[in-house]
């Protein structure tokens, strides 16, 4: 690996940094987007059961909010009822929609950075390729001026320029392709979570309205 880095030259270092960042973001998103941390399967049923006979105590609502992202959205509706037991549907919906937007922002965290890496890595690889080609033509021009013919080009410089071009192109694609794949995977996962939370929030809102009806 060290010999490849040396052969690729300095243009490969930005790609190495991008690869480290991409790996860190992928691991972080895998941990952050677990079902248990976003939308536990039985959380809605538990929240409905807890609030069936009345608004739970503030410590129970806070525990629900810290349970998961979905719990934070559901707890926002209960907090409105804690502060105003006769809150209207508009008040409840506005509070839960606001919490939902905040949760959506958290779920989409770092996805733009991962998408940027997926887009920038091939361009950085192309930059390394262009620099390698410049070295190739520079070595031929220098050898041609010294020996009077292009045939006297320095094979060492020529090989270095070719290796710089090819290694950077390959490494740029190696970084970009997994980054793009995981970005699309996380994007789809976030969209599925958002739909699930929207449906659960609507069901919980109807439950609160029925319970709060005179």
């Amino acid at each position: 690996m060290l010999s490849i880095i040396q052969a690729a030259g300095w243009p490969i270092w930005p790609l190495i940094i991008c690869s480290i960042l991409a790996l860190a973001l992928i691991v972080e998103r895998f941990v952050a987007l677990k079902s248990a941390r976003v939308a536990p399967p039985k959380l809605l049923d538990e929240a409905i059961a807890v609030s069936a006979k009345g608004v739970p105590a503030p410590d129970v609502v806070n525990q629900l909010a810290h349970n998961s992202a979905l719990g934070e959205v559901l707890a926002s509706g209960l907090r409105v009822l804690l502060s105003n037991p006769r809150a209207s549907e508009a008040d409840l919906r506005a509070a839960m929609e606001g919490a939902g937007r905040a949760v959506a922002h958290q779920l989409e965290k770092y996805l733009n950075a991962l998408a940027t890496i997926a887009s920038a890595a091939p361009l950085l690889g192309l930059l390394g390729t262009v620099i390698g080609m410049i070295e190739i033509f520079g070595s031929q021009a220098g050898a041609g001026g010294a020996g009077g013919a292009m045939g006297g080009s320095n094979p060492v410089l020529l090989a270095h320029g070719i290796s710089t071009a090819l290694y950077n192109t390959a490494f740029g694609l190696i970084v970009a392709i997994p980054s793009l794949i995981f970005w699309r995977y996380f994007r789809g996962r976030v969209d599925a979570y958002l739909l699930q939370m929207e449906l659960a929030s609507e069901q919980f809102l109807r439950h609160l309205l029925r319970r709060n009806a005179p």
Side-chain angles (χ1 to χ4, degrees):
M1 179 62 70
L2 182 60
S3 62
I4 292 176
I5 294 174
Q6 291 174 342
W10 68 264
I12 203 172
W13 286 107
L15 286 170
I16 292 176
I17 295 173
C18 286
S19 67
I20 295 173
L21 290 175
L23 180 60
L25 294 176
I26 289 169
V27 172
E28 190 278 338
R29 286 293 85 189
F30 263 119
V31 174
L33 295 178
K34 288 182 177 180
S35 296
R37 301 186 63 173
V38 180
K42 297 181 179 180
L43 183 63
L44 176 61
D45 295 335
E46 293 174 357
I48 291 176
V50 168
S51 59
K53 296 182 179 180
V55 181
D59 57 336
V60 177
V61 175
N62 291 333
Q63 184 178 359
L64 176 63
H66 290 93
N67 176 273
S68 61
L70 175 59
E72 185 175 347
V73 176
L74 302 182
S76 65
L78 294 175
R79 283 173 176 156
V80 171
L81 292 179
L82 282 173
S83 61
N84 180 15
R86 306 307 302 172
S88 65
E89 177 182 355
D91 294 333
L92 290 171
R93 188 178 296 276
M96 296 181 72
E97 287 180 353
R101 286 192 292 269
V103 165
H105 179 72
Q106 289 297 319
L107 294 181
E108 294 171 351
K109 190 177 181 181
Y110 301 134
L111 290 188
N112 285 338
L114 190 59
T116 300
I117 292 174
S119 301
L123 298 178
L124 291 173
L126 179 60
L127 174 63
T129 302
V130 172
I131 291 174
M133 297 301 293
I134 291 173
E135 291 182 358
I136 292 173
F137 289 119
S139 65
Q140 288 182 343
M150 292 296 291
S153 59
N154 190 331
V156 175
L157 294 177
L158 184 62
H160 177 71
I162 294 174
S163 63
T164 299
L166 296 180
Y167 279 133
N168 280 279
T169 301
F171 203 78
L173 294 176
I174 289 172
V175 174
I177 292 173
S179 298
L180 179 61
I181 291 173
F182 280 108
W183 174 77
R184 288 190 175 276
Y185 168 74
F186 291 135
R187 181 72 266 173
R189 196 166 182 176
V190 168
D191 289 342
Y193 279 139
L194 292 178
L195 176 60
Q196 181 181 351
M197 287 192 292
E198 183 178 352
L199 295 176
S201 300
E202 188 65 28
Q203 184 176 346
F204 190 66
L205 176 62
R206 291 197 300 268
H207 159 73
L208 293 179
L209 293 175
R210 286 195 303 267
R211 194 205 59 79
N212 206 37

